[in-house]
Amino acid sequence: MPRTMTKMFKIALPDGSVKEMPEGSTPADVAAAIGPGLAKAALAAKIDGEVRDIMRPFEGDSSLALITSRDEKDALELVRHDFAHILAEAVQNLFPGTQITFGPATDDGFYYDFAPTAEHGPFTEEELPAIEEEMRRIIAADKPLVREVWTRAQVRDFFDKSGEAFKAEWVMELPEGETITMYRTGDGKDAWIDLCRGPHLASTGKLDPNAFKLTRVSGAYWRGDPKNPMLSRIYGTAWLNKKQLDAYLVRLEEAAKRDHRKIGQEMDLFHLQAEAHGSVFWHPNGYIIWRELEAYMRRRLDAAGYLEVKTPQLMDARQWEKSGHWGKYRENMFVVPDEIPSTEEEAPILSGDADLMALKPMNCPAHVLIFNQGIKSYRDLPLRLAEFGCCHRNEPHGALHGILRVRQFTQDDAHIFVTGEQLVDEVVEFCNLLDSVYRQLGFENYAIKLALRPDQRYGSDAEWDHAEQVLREAVAKAGRNTPEFGWEELPGEGAFYAPKLEFHLTDAIGRTWQVGTIQADTVLPERLDANYIGEDGQKHRPVMLHRAIIGTFERFIGILIEHYAGKFPLWLAPVQAVVATIVSDADAYAGEVAAKLAVAGVRVETDLRNEKINYKVREHSLAKVPLLLVVGKREAEEGTVAIRRLGSDEHQKVMSLDEAVAMISAEIVPPDLREG
Ligand SMILES: [Zn+2]
Ligand SMILES: [Zn+2]
């Protein structure tokens, strides 16, 4: 063997091969050794699973996966963090004296918090185009982004000298002994430096100058604390290329048009007001959608062998203690004293020493209490208890959002008690039911993800191994652990008591929503001592499956509104048809038409106002009424109607009244009740 002075590291590549690289070499060297194409495409490196700079030398034998733009998630995060640095440099170039603080990547871009000079004050949106220009100049200069290890004292001195009070404060709070890195953009007097953990791309020129946009400014407190100085935050969105950026901007615009709060008002579906933060006032039109959806879900559950129950809103705190919610979940609960309030003038309304009760934040413990009534045998299993359970969760006002994020909500909840042997098949059955429901409700695409054990959890490792394996196996058995179903496993994202399958819907404009879930839980049956008598005559613990398909009615209806942009399929539309007159001579006939439709079960209204027909058409299409039946003198004489469909380009279609009634009453049938 030849003797060599240089130490060699073994670098294992994803294809199983191993490359020997001399000490001091970098992932970029490996990329270059493989080929010039890869050398150009490689953005960063995953070393033993950790994302690192492509120019950072290996520190020993390691596994290496090169990150290119194909690894979209990692690439986007890197790029967004780079943009944040470039934003900060641009702002300091244009507005000398501005201090820097923090600037992370976000879900669609990045932001940076600045302390502007007193003379300048907070940044404004009018300044954003100039800042964008300066950012493009920095990108065009293709400045290298270099990682440097500094000592704490060096960093503090550097920031003290350059008047960066916030950064100087921050670095002194980093734990003693932690490796402190500074990232330098460019060289010499052109260099710009920020305290940063990284990683970053090799140079600013790796970014697409047309793949970002600064979007808005806002105030933000230093370190999120209202007692601290107010900073000026600049937001941007950033992508790998212009095509992605454009698609995102179109999606934003489209999302604004579909905003469920806006459409909810236009269609008179619901409202919210401050006197009931996070609880929805359903108007008659909105509640029709709810009732149709609830009736649909009830039919599907009945057919799938579920038994519907109803459980109390208020339960004693001791019960929540037993179930484990009082410890882990209390901050999300509304707590109520078990006491009659005093009406005496001098006395306090509540004594403060009554027993506590809590509004249920979930239905699970109550369903175990039903299961525990009487003796259960293995012949009773699987036992599927369903509840359209109204729950309350105490969320801060700022976290609430329309009907998508509320404090009072109704779940399509169910708990299935099964033996260990029944587990996989029951989960498969659930996957099939959910698949059919999503398709019938108009969602063709959804993804399935397995959320694995979190750091903080109940139960032994063996139990978690088993529970995770069961869910994995069930999805495979249902044939859905495929790329078509976006199958992936998410380490650390399970609930504290069980791993879970998550089902993410894709809506009409490509956004995803986590809606359905199923979790295999052995902890709650244990805590609440649920058991059944097995074939062997002995007591056994059942496994409890927590599952929901649409999640909550509130959020799901919000998603439906945005998915359909208010143009609901006929069976869900609050008003299915309006009979509108052209002339008042047709009033009596319009009444006859509406009456016939109503008898056929159609939700129909008449519009006999003395208005031009075009005005009526416009108004009802704004209200998203699917069918407009126009009648005039001629229709009245001939016994016909002229039908216009919402959003259809084809002209109105004239047909006999009987034909129209037959056609419409066939179309309003919910999807699960249709033949074939
Ligand atoms: Zn950084
Ligand atoms: Zn549950």
Side-chain angles (χ1 to χ4, degrees):
M1 250 173 65
R3 279 182 57 111
T4 162
M5 297 299 291
T6 353
K7 220 161 138 194
M8 298 298 279
F9 292 145
K10 286 193 177 64
I11 308 301
L13 299 172
D15 66 358
S17 66
V18 175
K19 271 207 165 9
E20 297 251 338
M21 299 298 289
E23 187 174 11
S25 59
T26 67
D29 297 328
V30 175
I34 295 172
L38 188 57
K40 195 154 174 264
L43 298 172
K46 224 173 224 179
I47 306 293
D48 302 326
E50 183 192 310
V51 181
R52 288 194 185 168
D53 299 350
I54 195 144
M55 300 299 284
R56 179 165 163 194
F58 296 110
E59 285 154 14
D61 294 345
S62 6
S63 81
L64 163 70
L66 290 160
I67 296 173
T68 70
S69 58
R70 289 220 204 140
D71 308 294
E72 198 159 292
K73 213 170 140 197
D74 288 328
L76 278 171
E77 194 165 330
L78 282 157
V79 158
R80 286 166 178 166
H81 191 177
D82 282 14
F83 274 112
H85 277 230
I86 293 171
L87 165 63
E89 181 179 349
V91 165
Q92 290 201 313
N93 288 350
L94 296 179
F95 307 95
T98 304
Q99 291 186 60
I100 51 172
T101 66
F102 289 118
T106 63
D107 284 346
D108 64 358
F110 57 93
Y111 67 76
Y112 209 108
D113 286 347
F114 298 98
T117 60
E119 306 85 72
H120 182 281
F123 293 107
T124 65
E125 278 176 20
E126 287 70 49
E127 291 166 327
L128 299 183
I131 300 173
E132 283 180 355
E133 258 330 288
E134 178 63 9
M135 289 173 71
R136 289 204 178 86
R137 197 193 60 76
I138 295 168
I139 294 168
D142 197 13
K143 298 164 79 169
L145 281 150
V146 184
R147 177 179 184 271
E148 296 177 351
V149 178
W150 291 31
T151 67
R152 239 153 52 127
Q154 283 174 322
V155 175
R156 190 203 43 214
D157 290 350
F158 173 79
F159 283 129
D160 270 346
K161 269 197 203 111
S162 44
E164 300 282 2
F166 296 91
K167 285 285 186 185
E169 174 189 325
W170 180 250
V171 72
M172 293 318 286
E173 288 178 32
L174 293 180
E176 200 95 41
E178 188 176 295
T179 306
I180 297 178
T181 55
M182 296 280 265
Y183 271 79
R184 180 166 52 77
T185 315
D187 305 299
K189 69 172 179 35
D190 201 24
W192 184 86
I193 300 179
D194 196 359
L195 172 66
C196 174
R197 255 195 219 119
H200 283 282
L201 301 189
S203 74
T204 61
K206 292 270 181 193
L207 299 173
D208 182 339
N210 298 311
F212 80 100
K213 188 176 162 47
L214 298 181
T215 48
R216 62 195 172 95
V217 295
S218 78
Y221 294 106
W222 166 235
R223 300 167 80 170
D225 188 338
K227 291 195 285 288
N228 287 341
M230 174 72 92
L231 304 170
S232 186
R233 175 175 295 178
I234 299 179
Y235 285 95
T237 181
W239 300 85
L240 296 178
N241 52 54
K242 183 168 185 330
K243 202 171 139 205
Q244 282 185 351
L245 173 68
D246 289 344
Y248 172 76
L249 294 176
V250 167
R251 208 156 65 227
L252 265 195
E253 211 174 291
E254 192 51 42
K257 277 191 230 156
R258 288 165 182 259
D259 191 312
H260 71 281
R261 294 164 298 182
K262 177 173 154 277
I263 293 177
Q265 193 167 25
E266 286 166 3
M267 295 179 72
D268 192 16
L269 302 179
F270 60 82
H271 84 271
L272 292 143
Q273 63 184 62
E275 287 73 12
H277 271 296
S279 301
V280 184
F281 292 81
W282 289 98
H283 296 191
N285 277 348
Y287 204 56
I288 285 172
I289 301 172
W290 180 304
R291 284 175 31 161
E292 284 292 347
L293 187 60
E294 183 176 320
Y296 167 82
M297 288 307 298
R298 185 170 278 128
R299 288 192 303 271
R300 299 301 316 259
L301 294 179
D302 285 351
Y306 287 78
L307 307 171
E308 190 172 338
V309 297
K310 205 78 182 166
T311 61
Q313 286 296 325
L314 276 170
M315 282 205 296
D316 199 284
R318 277 167 293 223
Q319 182 59 50
W320 296 112
E321 251 162 56
K322 257 193 219 163
S323 65
H325 293 90
W326 197 247
K328 293 245 180 204
Y329 214 79
R330 194 168 56 209
E331 65 192 47
N332 293 108
M333 292 164 78
F334 285 99
V335 175
V336 181
D338 185 3
E339 153 173 51
I340 312 242
S342 167
T343 54
E344 277 168 47
E345 238 164 78
E346 299 296 312
I349 297 170
L350 298 168
S351 67
D353 44 42
D355 285 342
L356 295 178
M357 306 186 81
L359 280 171
K360 64 174 169 184
M362 47 185 65
N363 309 298
C364 333
H367 290 188
V368 183
L369 297 184
I370 291 180
F371 180 88
N372 283 354
Q373 292 290 306
I375 295 164
K376 295 289 179 297
S377 117
Y378 67 94
R379 286 191 202 86
D380 298 317
L381 307 187
L383 183 68
R384 309 180 184 92
L385 298 180
E387 178 170 6
F388 297 127
C390 178
C391 298
H392 285 79
R393 289 187 195 166
N394 203 342
E395 305 237 28
H397 294 176
L400 305 171
H401 177 69
I403 64 173
L404 294 176
R405 185 101 185 253
V406 289
R407 290 170 133 185
Q408 179 195 310
F409 52 85
T410 300
Q411 298 173 316
D412 69 315
D413 202 5
H415 295 94
I416 309 175
F417 298 86
V418 290
T419 67
E421 298 80 64
Q422 295 167 333
L423 207 44
V424 171
D425 285 340
E426 194 62 30
V427 177
V428 172
E429 239 177 82
F430 171 76
C431 289
N432 291 336
L433 175 63
L434 170 137
D435 184 87
S436 155
V437 167
Y438 286 175
R439 286 175 203 284
Q440 291 191 339
L441 294 176
F443 296 94
E444 292 295 326
N445 295 309
Y446 66 92
I448 309 178
K449 300 178 194 297
L450 174 57
L452 304 169
R453 67 196 76 183
D455 291 339
Q456 289 210 350
R457 57 181 180 260
Y458 288 147
S460 69
D461 281 355
E463 283 166 331
W464 278 88
D465 287 343
H466 179 67
E468 289 170 354
Q469 190 48 33
V470 161
L471 297 180
R472 208 175 270 133
E473 206 176 309
V475 177
K477 204 167 168 189
R480 299 199 176 90
N481 60 343
T482 62
E484 189 199 338
F485 288 93
W487 170 249
E488 76 180 311
E489 301 195 0
L490 309 172
E493 294 193 18
F496 67 85
Y497 52 88
K500 60 180 176 180
L501 289 177
E502 299 175 355
F503 299 83
H504 299 247
L505 290 179
T506 302
D507 74 7
I509 57 171
R511 293 174 299 178
T512 57
W513 307 82
Q514 199 219 308
V515 172
T517 175
I518 186 165
Q519 311 168 8
D521 175 14
T522 53
V523 175
L524 200 59
E526 182 77 38
R527 289 185 78 97
L528 298 184
D529 193 25
N531 54 61
Y532 67 93
I533 307 298
E535 246 172 305
D536 55 4
Q538 303 296 311
K539 273 188 183 178
H540 297 270
R541 284 266 178 256
V543 179
M544 184 180 184
L545 291 167
H546 306 250
R547 42 58 80 229
I549 297 176
I550 64 167
T552 77
F553 281 85
E554 287 80 0
R555 181 158 173 271
F556 194 78
I557 292 173
I559 295 169
L560 282 174
I561 293 171
E562 300 203 357
H563 175 61
Y564 285 115
K567 294 170 189 161
F568 287 101
L570 207 53
W571 70 281
L572 280 174
V575 179
Q576 294 167 320
V578 167
V579 186
T581 52
I582 302 171
V583 289
S584 58
D585 292 3
D587 285 2
Y589 179 62
E592 189 189 318
V593 172
K596 270 208 170 166
L597 286 169
V599 167
V602 180
R603 293 187 288 268
V604 61
E605 289 175 0
T606 56
D607 184 351
L608 310 180
R609 291 173 303 167
N610 184 22
E611 299 282 359
K612 287 247 166 39
I613 190 67
N614 282 343
Y615 175 87
K616 294 186 184 180
V617 170
R618 247 198 324 276
E619 204 179 89
H620 296 300
S621 54
L622 197 69
K624 314 276 192 307
V625 176
L627 295 172
L628 194 62
L629 283 64
V630 178
V631 295
K633 217 169 149 195
R634 192 166 123 205
E635 283 79 13
E637 281 163 12
E638 294 176 355
T640 58
V641 292
I643 300 186
R644 283 167 172 269
R645 277 176 196 274
L646 178 68
S648 146
D649 290 334
E650 66 184 281
H651 282 295
Q652 54 188 39
K653 213 167 171 180
V654 180
M655 57 179 81
S656 79
L657 177 54
D658 288 345
E659 264 181 311
V661 172
M663 181 190 81
I664 296 169
S665 46
E667 278 185 36
I668 59 169
V669 176
D672 60 311
L673 298 179
R674 277 181 207 161
E675 286 164 32

